[in-house]
Amino acid sequence: MSGRGVRRLAVAALALLAIAALAALFQPFAGDGGDAVRVEIPKEAGVGEIADLLHERGIVSSALLFEVRATLAGERSDLKPGAYDLREDMPYGDVIDRLVAGPEERIVTVTIPEGLSRREATPLVGRAGVDGDYLRASADTSLIEGRGFAVPDGAESLEGFLFPATYELRGNARAEALVRRQVAAFEQNVSRVDLSYARSKNLTVFDVVTIASMVEREVQVARERKLVAAVIYNRLKAGQPLGIDATIRYATGNWSAPLKQSELAVDSGYNTRTNAGLPPGPIGNPGLASLQAAARPAQVDYLYYVVKPGTCGEHAFSSTDAEFARDQQRYNEAREAAGGQSPTNCP
């Protein structure tokens, strides 16, 4: 081959290498990236350290090429520290744009359904991405001291005062911040509740919250809230044990399985089968509707209620032992016909 031919081949090879280098550097056919990766860019980290970190986490394919790309873009010193939600194998340009723009403010959303105890809510809070110990944070009764709620001395937690709702927390969300938000929401909502009737019966805010927590657990049909509250008021007046198994479930931590005889006989102030009066405190965190029902129940003389067979959580209410025995027999017969399972019909 002539010298001219060799030079042409060399030029062509260099051109191909240049094209390959540019393709690797600018990634003209790159996609959006793969799986999500959360990465923390340290303060005062240089572009080389950032490039190495991004490569180690699989966000960029080459630390060297990322550094070169940032240099060519004139943005070596503009990459900002903070927490970022990036993706594996992102184009260099997209990563640089994100780091130049700075970290987006992180928003954590946590939804706590009505009625849950704080122990039940704890795993929900953790899965939502809230940092810290929610169970410990929700034991800080100093947050409700001196607020006129008549919380008894020796109260061990904020049970009942952690208002259930959906909360958005900004930044590095912590359990303490969520608890403060819940207590503030409780104060705001309880201020909308007419407590005059409950106070006429010598019941405090703490008592109303305790009753509301039981109503929340017992009721699936909204119109029954005031009826169940009325049963509680009437049995308190009559000096009869409330007989609400949800309080036993709170004491034993058994919220789903059928209660055993040993659990029904548990030695606890929360056993409202064996103890008259209200339990020592709330068994969960009620919403506004249950608080309102607990503060002003229906004006009826019901003393009993039993699940109504063939419904989804409806109850048959009664005022006498004979009526209650009839309703209970219907329930037991339907349960036996269902093979020992609850004779309810919920979709």
Side-chain angles (χ1 to χ4, degrees):
M1 181 179 293
S2 66
R4 181 178 295 178
V6 172
R7 285 194 299 273
R8 286 178 177 174
L9 285 174
V11 170
L14 289 173
L16 289 173
L17 287 172
I19 292 171
L22 289 172
L25 189 59
F26 291 96
Q27 303 167 293
F29 304 110
D32 296 329
D35 294 337
V37 179
R38 187 164 181 82
V39 63
E40 180 82 28
I41 304 299
K43 291 181 179 180
E44 301 181 0
V47 65
E49 184 180 349
I50 293 172
D52 289 338
L53 176 60
L54 295 174
H55 177 62
E56 290 171 5
R57 300 299 303 277
I59 296 167
V60 298
S61 57
S62 169
L64 175 61
L65 291 179
F66 176 83
E67 185 173 354
V68 171
R69 180 69 184 271
T71 301
L72 292 175
E75 292 170 334
R76 286 179 61 95
S77 60
D78 295 330
L79 308 181
K80 297 178 177 61
Y84 294 85
D85 290 312
L86 304 175
R87 292 189 174 277
E88 294 179 345
D89 297 319
M90 283 182 69
Y92 302 132
D94 290 354
V95 179
I96 291 169
D97 288 344
R98 288 288 303 278
L99 299 189
V100 168
E104 295 179 356
E105 188 172 31
R106 185 186 179 205
I107 297 179
V108 173
T109 301
V110 55
T111 298
I112 300 178
E114 296 174 342
L116 293 189
S117 69
R118 65 194 188 98
R119 289 188 180 277
E120 292 174 287
T122 294
L124 297 180
V125 173
R127 287 196 292 269
V130 178
D131 296 329
D133 188 335
Y134 179 78
L135 199 61
R136 176 180 295 177
S138 61
D140 183 6
T141 56
S142 68
L143 296 176
I144 54 175
E145 289 176 358
R147 304 297 178 92
F149 298 151
V151 179
D153 293 339
E156 297 180 352
S157 76
L158 295 169
E159 196 80 87
F161 297 87
L162 303 163
F163 196 76
T166 296
Y167 295 91
E168 288 188 348
L169 304 172
R170 299 178 182 277
N172 294 323
R174 292 197 58 80
E176 292 81 3
L178 173 60
V179 167
R180 287 194 296 271
R181 289 276 301 278
Q182 288 184 276
V183 171
F186 171 83
E187 289 189 88
Q188 181 181 15
N189 279 274
V190 82
S191 69
R192 301 164 56 188
V193 177
D194 181 1
L195 294 165
S196 58
Y197 180 82
R199 285 175 173 146
S200 74
K201 303 300 179 182
N202 296 317
L203 295 175
T204 65
V205 174
F206 187 81
D207 295 333
V208 169
V209 174
T210 300
I211 294 171
S213 71
M214 292 186 284
V215 169
E216 199 74 78
R217 280 292 186 175
E218 293 289 285
V219 172
Q220 295 186 49
V221 180
R223 60 181 172 78
E224 291 187 356
R225 284 193 176 95
K226 286 182 175 290
L227 297 177
V228 169
V231 171
I232 294 173
Y233 270 68
N234 292 339
R235 292 182 76 87
L236 288 174
K237 182 179 179 181
Q240 296 178 342
L242 299 181
I244 293 178
D245 287 347
T247 63
I248 297 175
R249 291 188 178 279
Y250 180 78
T252 60
N254 175 8
W255 287 110
S256 56
L259 289 170
K260 302 174 183 177
Q261 287 300 319
S262 60
E263 291 174 315
L264 294 174
V266 65
D267 182 14
S268 168
Y270 287 94
N271 189 338
T272 54
R273 287 192 175 207
T274 58
N275 297 289
L278 292 174
I283 62 171
N285 297 281
L288 177 60
S290 290
L291 287 168
Q292 290 172 327
R296 187 171 288 275
Q299 296 302 300
V300 293
D301 60 0
Y302 296 147
L303 286 169
Y304 310 96
Y305 57 88
V306 178
V307 172
K308 190 182 296 184
T311 68
C312 185
E314 293 184 39
H315 292 93
F317 292 85
S318 55
S319 304
T320 68
D321 291 343
E323 291 171 336
F324 174 62
R326 177 202 62 201
D327 293 336
Q328 197 170 41
Q329 181 178 355
R330 288 175 179 170
Y331 174 82
N332 290 334
E333 289 174 351
R335 183 175 182 178
E336 185 177 349
Q341 300 299 315
S342 176
T344 54
N345 184 22
C346 292

